Amino acid sequence: MAELLQVRDLRTYFYTFEGVVKAVDGVSYELEEGETLGLVGESGCGKSVSALSVMRLIPDPPGKIVDGEILFEDDDILKIDMDDMRQIRGGKISMVFQEPMTSLNPVLTVEKQLTETLQLHMGMNREESRREGVDLLARVGIPDPERRIKQYPHQFSGGMRQRVMIAMALSCNPKLIIADEPTTALDVTIQAQILELMKSLTSEFGVALIVITHNLGVVARYADRVNIMYAGKVIERGTAQEIYANPRHPYTVGLLNSVPRLDLPRRAKLDPIEGQPPDLVNLAPGCSFRDRCRWAVDKCATESPPLMSTGEGHWSACWRIEEMEGLVEEYRNDRIRDAVAEAAEGATGDGS
Amino acid sequence: MTTSPEVQAQGTGTATDDDILLDVRGLKMYFPVSSGLVFQRTVAYIKAVDGVSFTVKRGETLGLVGESGCGKTTTGRCILQLYKPTEGQVIFEGQDLTSLSTRMMREKRREMQVIFQDPYSSLNPRMTAGNIIGEPLIVHGLVHGKAEYRERVADLLQNVGLNPYMADRFPHEFSGGQRQRIGVARALSVGPKFIVADEPVSALDVSIQAQIINLLEDLQEQFGLTYLFIAHDLSVVRHISDRVGVMYLGHMMELAERNEIYVNPIHPYTRALLSAVPIPDPIIDAQRERILLTGEVPSPLNPPSGCVFHPRCPIANDECTQHLPELREVEPNHWAACIRADGYGAF
């Protein structure tokens, strides 16, 4: 399939009083047409900044894209002028933000906000755009769209507002939608509705989707491929199945094992990743994860590992990549042994 | 609303034995909605909590789950008397807290503490970590002299996995996880028996959440604490709780032992809630039963008649629209508020 988006060695830095924050530091990935990519990481890992860079929405100053290429349909987004960029933004690439309340304008009706992009990008007149707007609202599952389109954002609930955001994002038949934590602010049952809606609409219209999230479960359910980010770098990349079944980076292994899971028997103790994420201003040389890594070796302190292939369509940035399969296996066996011991203890303890 | 608090209290297995630390009976919290600029009058009530009863045993963790606006936080605050409940009793060690004077309640707060959700806004930015932790010691007159004060604060910091030298730092110098540890130390300072943990990990990153959960469990063992753990994350609640209560629109929908409620959920709402949680494994997740609820949570200002869940319930019938189902013991120690609780299999 054709490559829709290619990000090559992207570096976005923020120049602050404390020093240079290397929010995104050498990120590369591709996205095919119609594909869903999950960008996963904790707060401050650079996942939002790397997506905002694609839209060229980095506040300057203090931020600056200092290096790299972003090829969208073979044009380098970073080289085109602002007028052309405005055509792409909201036209070919659109965005869904985390907070539907703060990203909709409270003093304008939904109609005004929804039809604005249609009039700008599609050259529709008022009547046409209104009809199209009603259509869009109906398509994202808002009941009674004729009446609802005249209302203000505060008259919508959180889930309904997010539907409006999705309608806006879809309005100009984009090629790519970037969704930044689209469901984090929503309740679990509403989350499921919104994700299901995004999935069905993107596959119906063949739109590629980048979902930025910290929720591993959301990615497992909806992404084709996954980028795991840590301290401004992609540290593991592969298909969702591969990443979850055969994680090949210690951070991914830690992340997957630190969350309690509904489908597995309950463990007496969780296995957290110890320590804190590093300060992006004073990044020491070497691998940024080594202080928290259970398998760090001397080399990790001196040289930063590049992304290396570890199988078909699967990359990991770890110096011990060759041994990782064995290490993960051993770690899993240890955990299973602990679980069995726990269960045995529990059984004798209960007397059952 | 048709069931009296007494009936519901019996329903939740109120025994007079000593192992019950907290007994909540028919708790109601209505917030008035007023209108008019000069002459304010109450035009309606938001029924945040509408007749909730449960007990918490000594040393256990009771988890309360539900979506935003279901009344779980309000329930926690009513227990601590941070809100004055509209109706109902909160019996802590045999004493009804709703009847205590402010002064007596202040004394009681030494035994019951709270950990808040947001470690960024719940710590005073102008106070050092040491003073935040130490203030309750002074307020309650628990220390005498500076040396003892410093020693206690250092102990508390160590208890929560921080270094004693951090006592002189200000909140902004700590990360989110460390701030939450300060919040935990503050709650521990007065030596409480009971702690209401209101979404203590939801503002934290995934890798840090596990650290705080393990800390809370260690402290429970060490100090014999009892927790009311309020959260919306069902996997976290299952991990930490001994029993779990599921709330919806101010009502308790289901209450059972941890494993029971996850393995054998009875209430249709609990089932939908569980199926909505994505599992971080694409293969397993794809095989799970998925119940997608339609619609959204109705406003507590104007809750539906009968069972509050009926507009979204996949198995509701006419009767559900008329009668509020009572929380009843469907199976031993497994309570559910659904008239169709038994006798249906798949839906």
Side-chain angles (χ1 to χ4, degrees):
Chain A
M1 238 201 257
E3 303 286 359
L4 180 70
L5 180 77
Q6 294 177 56
V7 177
R8 287 189 194 147
D9 201 29
L10 179 71
R11 283 166 209 274
T12 308
Y13 294 175
F14 288 83
Y15 296 88
T16 66
F17 289 115
E18 281 99 55
V20 181
V21 179
K22 297 178 175 176
V24 173
D25 198 18
V27 162
S28 304
Y29 59 88
E30 316 79 56
L31 186 72
E32 286 171 6
E33 276 177 27
E35 184 186 356
T36 299
L37 172 75
L39 278 186
V40 186
E42 300 181 81
S43 40
C45 74
K47 54 191 194 300
S48 290
V49 173
S50 78
L52 286 174
S53 301
V54 173
M55 293 287 266
R56 276 176 72 185
L57 286 173
I58 300 294
D60 179 12
K64 203 166 170 31
I65 299 173
V66 293
D67 199 13
E69 280 181 328
I70 299 173
L71 300 178
F72 180 72
E73 296 185 315
D74 299 326
D75 292 328
D76 190 345
I77 282 186
L78 298 180
K79 292 211 176 73
I80 61 179
D81 63 38
M82 270 305 166
D83 282 341
D84 290 338
M85 191 61 221
R86 227 167 269 142
Q87 283 305 313
I88 292 179
R89 221 184 266 147
K92 284 182 173 168
I93 309 179
S94 57
M95 226 172 148
V96 175
F97 293 94
Q98 172 173 3
E99 285 277 345
M101 192 61 226
T102 48
S103 39
L104 290 170
N105 189 335
V107 297
L108 299 178
T109 58
V110 166
E111 174 173 357
K112 184 82 192 140
Q113 301 182 55
L114 190 55
T115 55
E116 188 186 15
T117 36
L118 290 169
Q119 290 168 10
L120 263 175
H121 290 287
M122 315 285 272
M124 291 183 186
N125 64 27
R126 231 184 124 211
E127 187 44 39
E128 283 168 347
S129 64
R130 203 194 64 82
R131 246 182 289 127
E132 178 68 21
V134 171
D135 245 24
L136 281 163
L137 288 188
R139 204 174 294 161
V140 296
I142 293 181
D144 199 3
E146 290 275 355
R147 186 175 62 88
R148 296 291 262 171
I149 199 166
K150 298 197 191 83
Q151 294 183 331
Y152 290 88
H154 76 266
Q155 293 167 294
F156 288 74
S157 66
M160 284 296 159
R161 278 183 214 134
Q162 201 57 293
R163 285 173 197 263
V164 172
M165 289 294 293
I166 293 170
M168 285 169 71
L170 280 173
S171 58
C172 299
N173 303 321
K175 287 278 177 68
L176 169 64
I177 296 179
I178 300 175
D180 189 356
E181 304 267 10
T183 60
T184 310
L186 305 174
D187 280 318
V188 198
T189 55
I190 308 297
Q191 255 181 33
Q193 289 177 4
I194 295 292
L195 287 167
E196 217 62 49
L197 174 75
M198 290 187 64
K199 186 78 189 170
S200 68
L201 288 175
T202 47
S203 63
E204 187 184 332
F205 297 103
V207 187
L209 181 67
I210 297 181
V211 187
I212 301 169
T213 180
H214 65 274
N215 186 331
L216 291 160
V218 166
V219 172
R221 191 175 278 187
Y222 299 100
D224 303 315
R225 275 198 282 180
V226 180
N227 285 353
I228 311 263
M229 289 189 69
Y230 189 80
K233 291 191 166 70
V234 174
I235 51 101
E236 186 164 3
R237 168 165 172 71
T239 62
Q241 252 112 351
E242 266 291 300
I243 295 260
Y244 286 93
N246 305 309
R248 286 291 174 266
H249 193 283
Y251 176 63
T252 317
V253 175
L255 213 52
L256 286 171
N257 284 295
S258 65
V259 289
R261 282 177 53 169
L262 276 184
D263 59 320
L264 298 180
R266 180 188 172 272
R267 302 286 321 277
K269 272 272 169 285
L270 292 175
D271 202 0
I273 304 175
E274 296 300 341
Q276 316 285 338
D279 178 2
L280 292 176
V281 178
N282 304 309
L283 271 187
C287 174
S288 321
F289 186 61
R290 65 170 191 283
D291 292 337
R292 306 175 75 187
C293 181
R294 63 180 83 233
W295 297 308
V297 290
D298 288 348
K299 195 179 184 185
C300 305
T302 51
E303 281 174 82
S304 176
L307 265 185
M308 294 171 277
S309 173
T310 171
E312 184 69 32
H314 190 170
W315 293 268
S316 164
C318 179
W319 287 125
R320 302 188 70 184
I321 190 167
E322 302 290 333
E323 308 152 70
M324 203 43 73
E325 187 172 356
L327 290 171
V328 174
E329 193 64 39
E330 196 181 312
Y331 170 71
R332 278 183 177 162
N333 287 340
D334 281 353
R335 292 209 13 127
I336 291 170
R337 208 169 302 132
D338 288 352
V340 171
E342 249 168 45
E345 208 173 288
T348 51
D350 293 347
S352 54
Chain B
M1 275 164 279
T2 50
T3 48
S4 67
E6 286 76 15
V7 174
Q8 289 206 359
Q10 281 168 11
T12 39
T14 314
T16 45
D17 38 354
D18 291 340
D19 63 331
I20 287 174
L21 183 71
L22 178 77
D23 187 354
V24 177
R25 294 184 188 175
L27 187 71
K28 287 186 186 176
M29 184 71 225
Y30 294 175
F31 295 100
V33 181
S34 49
S35 112
L37 275 176
V38 184
F39 302 105
Q40 295 234 327
R41 66 210 156 82
T42 304
V43 291
Y45 289 98
I46 290 179
K47 297 175 177 173
V49 177
D50 200 7
V52 164
S53 305
F54 58 88
T55 58
V56 184
K57 295 194 197 94
R58 217 175 278 275
E60 82 165 347
T61 301
L62 177 72
L64 273 190
V65 274
E67 301 181 271
S68 45
C70 73
K72 54 190 194 297
T73 295
T74 309
T75 304
R77 296 197 164 191
C78 284
I79 290 170
L80 295 167
Q81 305 297 306
L82 295 173
Y83 294 142
K84 196 99 197 118
T86 313
E87 218 182 290
Q89 291 172 298
V90 177
I91 299 163
F92 184 77
E93 294 196 304
Q95 199 170 19
D96 187 359
L97 299 182
T98 55
S99 64
L100 292 184
S101 66
T102 315
R103 209 196 150 111
M104 283 160 81
M105 192 54 223
R106 191 170 294 159
E107 282 288 300
K108 268 278 172 249
R109 292 230 166 83
R110 268 174 60 183
E111 291 170 22
M112 43 207 315
Q113 282 291 320
V114 59
I115 300 167
F116 292 103
Q117 169 173 11
D118 185 354
Y120 292 84
S121 60
S122 58
L123 302 180
N124 186 339
R126 297 187 174 203
M127 283 169 80
T128 63
N131 287 341
I132 290 169
I133 297 168
E135 192 182 30
L137 295 172
I138 296 168
V139 169
H140 288 285
L142 296 174
V143 286
H144 305 285
K146 276 198 164 157
E148 195 189 344
Y149 171 81
R150 264 197 295 268
E151 198 181 317
R152 280 288 291 143
V153 169
D155 279 353
L156 285 162
L157 282 167
Q158 266 171 340
N159 280 337
V160 296
L162 294 173
N163 272 317
Y165 70 78
M166 293 173 172
D168 296 328
R169 293 193 186 168
F170 287 91
H172 74 266
E173 297 174 80
F174 293 93
S175 68
Q178 288 174 324
R179 280 183 220 210
Q180 199 55 296
R181 287 176 193 266
I182 295 171
V184 173
R186 188 205 55 76
L188 281 180
S189 62
V190 292
K193 293 174 182 163
F194 176 64
I195 291 181
V196 174
D198 189 359
E199 301 264 16
V201 298
S202 52
L204 305 175
D205 271 320
V206 186
S207 73
I208 310 294
Q209 282 190 4
Q211 293 178 8
I212 299 294
I213 291 169
N214 280 353
L215 172 71
L216 288 173
E217 286 184 326
D218 290 344
L219 293 172
Q220 179 168 41
E221 208 166 296
Q222 196 179 342
F223 298 106
L225 299 169
T226 305
Y227 291 135
L228 180 70
F229 192 93
I230 299 167
H232 68 274
D233 185 327
L234 289 140
S235 352
V236 168
V237 167
R238 181 183 86 150
H239 180 81
I240 201 163
S241 309
D242 299 303
R243 286 189 305 141
V244 177
V246 179
M247 288 186 70
Y248 184 79
L249 217 61
H251 293 264
M252 187 73 84
M253 294 310 211
E254 189 161 1
L255 181 67
E257 301 277 320
R258 170 220 309 150
N259 285 334
E260 179 68 13
I261 210 161
Y262 285 92
V263 175
N264 178 28
I266 289 178
H267 200 284
Y269 177 63
T270 314
R271 289 187 167 202
L273 208 55
L274 286 173
S275 84
V277 179
I279 300 287
D281 185 320
I283 298 161
I284 296 173
D285 191 68
Q287 296 162 349
R288 290 169 74 228
E289 170 198 35
R290 204 105 39 103
I291 305 163
L292 212 55
L293 287 182
T294 51
E296 308 200 4
V297 186
S299 160
L301 198 60
N302 183 21
S305 64
C307 172
V308 286
F309 184 60
H310 86 256
R312 301 175 79 194
C313 183
I315 57 161
N317 61 15
D318 281 350
E319 208 186 330
C320 299
T321 63
Q322 285 153 19
H323 301 293
L324 179 72
E326 217 178 282
L327 191 67
R328 64 200 171 93
E329 195 166 14
V330 178
E331 282 163 31
N333 287 320
H334 191 151
W335 303 75
C338 178
I339 52 164
R340 309 200 59 196
D342 25 35
Y344 74 84
F347 57 83

